[in-house]
Amino acid sequence: QKSATKGIRCDSWRSKSALDAERNSDGAVAAWDVLQKNRKAEETVGLLGTRDALENIAMLYDGEKADAQVLDYNDIIIKTVELLETNTGVRRYYQTMFRMVLIDEYQDTNATQEHLIRLMLNPQVNITCVGDEDQSVYGWRGAEIKNILTFQGRYNGANVIKLEQNFRSTSSILDAANKLIARNEDRLGKKLYTMAAARAPITHYRFSDPRQEAASIVNAIADLHEQGVPYNSIAILGRYATMFATIQLPLAQARIPFTITAGKKAQETQDIQNIIAYFRFAKNRRDDYALQRILTAKPRGLGPTKMKKVSEEARTRHIPMIDAIASLLASSELKGKLGEGLTNLLNFLNELADDYQLEVPPAEIYEKVVVELELDKDLAKATEKAGNVVEKIARNKAHAGVQRRADRIAELQAAITSAPNLDEMVDSLALDPVDNNEITDGVWIGTIHAAKGLEFDHVILPAWSEGIFPSSRIVRQLASRDLPADEESRLRRDLEEERRLAYVGLTRAKKTATITSVESFHGEYDLPPSRFLGDISPALTKTATYR
């Protein structure tokens, strides 16, 4: 139990979703299903081994909270349910207080929330629920689509009013969305329509790899902007946050502002800022901000006291920081190993500046910078450190972090070596990018889950390929011929939730929706287009393939 508790902490958000399901749904069986259906939770499932282990962890978790006298968010609902169930006076008080109850986003409620709703209703059962079963996409955190599907059966005399007229999207988008979602079985059924005229059909572009896909997306956004389309009316919506690594640098290189909802921007990460600092300084030796970053990019023995001396020398003499360092070296105020190291660095930076002026191929300059930064050694050390982690889940997580670093560095190398104008590209990847929260006029980049409830004139939906969307887990397991009936049923539900997510992404678009697919992704090749594209009638899509 102790080992399992440590391991599950390393996989916190997935295990927390499972624990929430354990308490909010049908007990440990549902919690176990939550973990098993998650494509990234395989190690957690392997660590726990059985549903009983998950129940034990739930007990340990509840014990920890009791000892600390704290509640989590779900406890607030669970404790309220317990109070209303056990205290007749309190229950009658609130049933009298609320003459009518309105529930929004009803398709996202779980079993415990539904129980709370019933306890709050007065004898007249005056309840109105608003929801769309076709937008139920939170099963992974315990939401029960059956709440909305069985509403009429559980509330006698309930009326269903279908709001089918859509005031957001064109008929082209709605026709495609209707075709897509019609393939699902778990739905009440509706058909969206609009009085707006049909516009361009859904476009589907097929690419060999994510880099080609990203370049095309950037060009499409630039073309829209040239036509007068504001950047903030364009969105790139992906199935997973990890899909956005490839698109960020090309967008920055094209000077296209963007807001990303998942994690840091690529150019905000330390490795990329460090590399770009060398290029900026090679271009402009008076760029003291770039030099400061270079000086601290790796250990050089230049502590706060010595750095202050350099800054004061530069400020009092009104000279660039590099000249101040040279002056202090000449006067032996910086000496020993520190002086030797700084002398070598200055020589290297002068050589780099000459390369830049002589227009040495960017790939060669890049390689020199990587060697000076000792990035390969640093990544090797990080990989070794990750391999020494005892817990398997934490070890895999550490390896994944190292791989993300390596991927970002590889994307930067590709951007630098293919840049048509290196000066502009270096300038575009600023050392201190604007905070995401300060950008209000940029392209919106985020997961489809994060975009739920939002709308944009133009929506781009990348990587609609089998094995990406729907996930490889679903594709792989559905291809098995020896699936037990209950497993096949669970996979069907998972696939339907993925299709609902595709539906949500498509219906965020007001004017145009562009879907792209790739033939290769993270070591997988010959990926066919997503089956969700096949669900849409060919008459409603226009396809082009680029290789």
Side-chain angles (χ1 to χ4, degrees):
Q1 287 183 5
K2 187 175 181 182
S3 173
T5 306
K6 285 184 179 179
I8 206 163
R9 283 174 183 162
C10 298
D11 202 24
S12 58
W13 73 266
R14 283 185 285 277
S15 53
K16 185 63 169 64
S17 295
L19 291 176
D20 289 345
E22 194 271 338
R23 296 182 297 155
N24 289 327
S25 194
D26 297 324
V29 173
W32 192 248
D33 287 345
V34 166
L35 278 178
Q36 287 189 315
K37 73 188 286 188
N38 192 296
R39 72 186 187 96
K40 293 183 178 179
E42 294 171 358
E43 296 297 337
T44 306
V45 172
L47 176 69
L48 293 173
T50 65
R51 290 175 178 142
D52 290 343
L54 181 59
E55 285 185 314
N56 289 334
I57 287 189
M59 290 172 59
L60 290 169
Y61 176 57
D62 287 339
E64 291 280 343
K65 289 184 296 178
D67 290 344
Q69 295 188 331
V70 296
L71 300 176
D72 66 16
Y73 178 79
N74 279 282
D75 288 328
I76 297 172
I77 298 176
I78 292 168
K79 297 297 182 184
T80 302
V81 167
E82 290 176 359
L83 175 64
L84 295 177
E85 278 185 323
T86 57
N87 193 311
T88 304
V90 173
R91 183 171 67 251
R92 287 178 178 171
Y93 174 82
Y94 284 104
Q95 288 176 344
T96 303
M97 175 185 290
F98 299 117
R99 189 164 60 90
M100 296 185 178
V101 176
L102 169 64
I103 311 296
D104 194 15
E105 300 289 355
Y106 186 62
Q107 77 280 350
D108 294 330
T109 56
N110 59 43
T112 304
Q113 290 166 341
E114 171 63 19
H115 194 180
L116 174 61
I117 292 166
R118 294 191 72 91
L119 288 169
M120 292 172 63
L121 297 177
N122 58 35
Q124 287 72 44
V125 194
N126 289 331
I127 179 173
T128 299
C129 292
V130 181
D132 180 358
E133 80 279 10
D134 292 332
Q135 296 192 50
S136 178
V137 293
Y138 290 105
W140 50 274
R141 69 181 189 193
E144 293 276 9
I145 191 174
K146 68 182 182 184
N147 286 351
I148 192 169
L149 295 178
T150 63
F151 183 81
Q152 271 187 297
R154 289 180 293 108
Y155 293 93
N156 293 330
N159 294 320
V160 174
I161 302 171
K162 295 183 180 181
L163 305 177
E164 296 179 301
Q165 184 173 1
N166 182 286
F167 297 90
R168 172 190 295 157
S169 307
T170 67
S171 59
S172 302
I173 293 169
L174 295 184
D175 289 346
N178 285 330
K179 285 283 187 183
L180 171 68
I181 203 62
R183 296 296 298 271
N184 274 9
E185 295 177 11
D186 288 342
R187 60 191 304 258
L188 299 170
K190 65 180 180 302
K191 190 170 183 179
L192 299 180
Y193 71 92
T194 181
M195 304 305 292
R199 296 188 61 163
I202 306 297
T203 51
H204 166 224
Y205 297 114
R206 181 107 171 112
F207 300 101
S208 60
D209 58 60
R211 285 180 182 166
Q212 188 186 47
E213 178 187 50
S216 177
I217 289 173
V218 169
N219 289 336
I221 291 171
D223 288 344
L224 284 170
H225 191 63
E226 284 184 8
Q227 296 166 25
V229 175
Y231 286 127
N232 62 3
S233 66
I234 304 170
I236 303 171
L237 309 181
R239 175 64 182 89
Y240 308 109
T242 52
M243 296 167 53
F244 305 132
T246 308
I247 189 69
Q248 294 184 54
L249 291 178
L251 282 171
Q253 186 176 346
R255 304 291 184 101
I256 294 175
F258 62 93
T259 299
I260 188 161
T261 63
K264 280 186 174 183
K265 288 185 177 181
Q267 68 264 38
E268 290 177 341
T269 57
Q270 182 171 298
D271 288 324
I272 290 181
Q273 288 196 31
N274 288 344
I275 294 170
I276 290 298
Y278 284 87
F279 278 87
R280 287 174 64 97
F281 193 79
K283 179 184 174 185
N284 175 16
R285 71 188 309 275
R286 301 186 70 87
D287 191 338
D288 287 350
Y289 294 105
L291 182 58
Q292 286 177 24
R293 183 152 205 108
I294 291 168
L295 291 170
T296 57
K298 69 177 189 180
R300 301 185 191 276
L302 191 67
T305 302
K306 292 288 194 297
M307 182 68 85
K308 185 178 180 181
K309 182 184 287 288
V310 170
S311 298
E312 287 178 350
E313 178 80 5
R315 186 173 62 255
T316 56
R317 295 181 57 189
H318 303 287
I319 57 176
M321 188 176 286
I322 191 170
D323 291 342
I325 293 174
S327 175
L328 292 171
L329 286 169
S331 63
S332 297
E333 293 188 57
L334 297 174
K335 55 187 178 180
K337 285 188 177 181
L338 171 61
E340 183 181 340
L342 289 176
T343 299
N344 291 336
L345 176 62
L346 263 57
N347 290 337
F348 173 77
L349 292 176
N350 289 331
E351 178 187 333
L352 213 62
D354 291 341
D355 288 346
Y356 203 95
Q357 293 299 320
L358 294 170
E359 298 184 354
V360 169
E364 292 185 23
I365 300 177
Y366 173 86
E367 288 299 332
K368 287 184 178 180
V369 170
V370 167
V371 170
E372 205 283 325
L373 275 171
E374 300 179 318
L375 266 183
D376 290 344
K377 286 184 182 178
D378 195 35
L379 287 172
K381 284 182 182 177
T383 301
E384 182 180 357
K385 184 178 178 181
N388 292 331
V389 176
V390 177
E391 263 78 12
K392 189 175 181 181
I393 294 174
R395 182 166 67 250
N396 289 348
K397 197 170 183 180
H399 276 301
V402 177
Q403 186 59 52
R404 281 194 296 273
R405 277 186 67 193
D407 288 345
R408 284 194 295 264
I409 292 168
E411 293 298 336
L412 177 63
Q413 181 182 16
I416 287 174
T417 54
S418 63
N421 187 317
L422 188 59
D423 282 352
E424 286 191 8
M425 193 234 163
V426 170
D427 287 344
S428 68
L429 298 179
L431 286 174
D432 300 302
V434 178
D435 189 286
N436 288 341
N437 296 326
E438 296 177 13
I439 299 177
T440 57
D441 61 348
V443 174
W444 197 92
I445 303 177
T447 62
I448 301 175
H449 279 106
K452 192 167 175 287
L454 304 179
E455 58 183 42
F456 305 90
D457 285 347
H458 307 277
V459 168
I460 299 168
L461 301 159
W464 277 38
S465 301
E466 286 286 288
I468 305 174
F469 194 26
S471 72
S472 57
R473 177 190 63 83
I474 292 176
V475 172
R476 186 174 62 250
Q477 293 184 21
L478 280 175
S480 174
R481 297 180 179 178
D482 302 317
L483 279 177
D486 60 339
E487 177 68 8
E488 187 174 356
S489 176
R490 183 176 68 83
L491 282 170
R492 181 190 63 80
R493 292 195 302 271
D494 292 351
L495 180 62
E496 290 208 350
E497 180 157 322
E498 290 278 287
R499 187 177 282 111
R500 289 194 292 270
L501 194 60
Y503 172 84
V504 169
L506 197 54
T507 53
R508 297 311 91 200
K510 296 166 69 175
K511 295 179 179 179
T512 69
T514 301
I515 300 172
T516 65
S517 63
V518 289
E519 295 176 358
S520 64
F521 186 79
H522 285 190
E524 297 287 335
Y525 300 95
D526 299 322
L527 300 174
S530 170
R531 67 187 66 196
F532 301 147
L533 271 162
D535 293 340
I536 302 171
S537 168
L540 298 172
T541 60
K542 180 181 178 183
T543 298
T545 301
Y546 298 91
R547 287 188 174 87

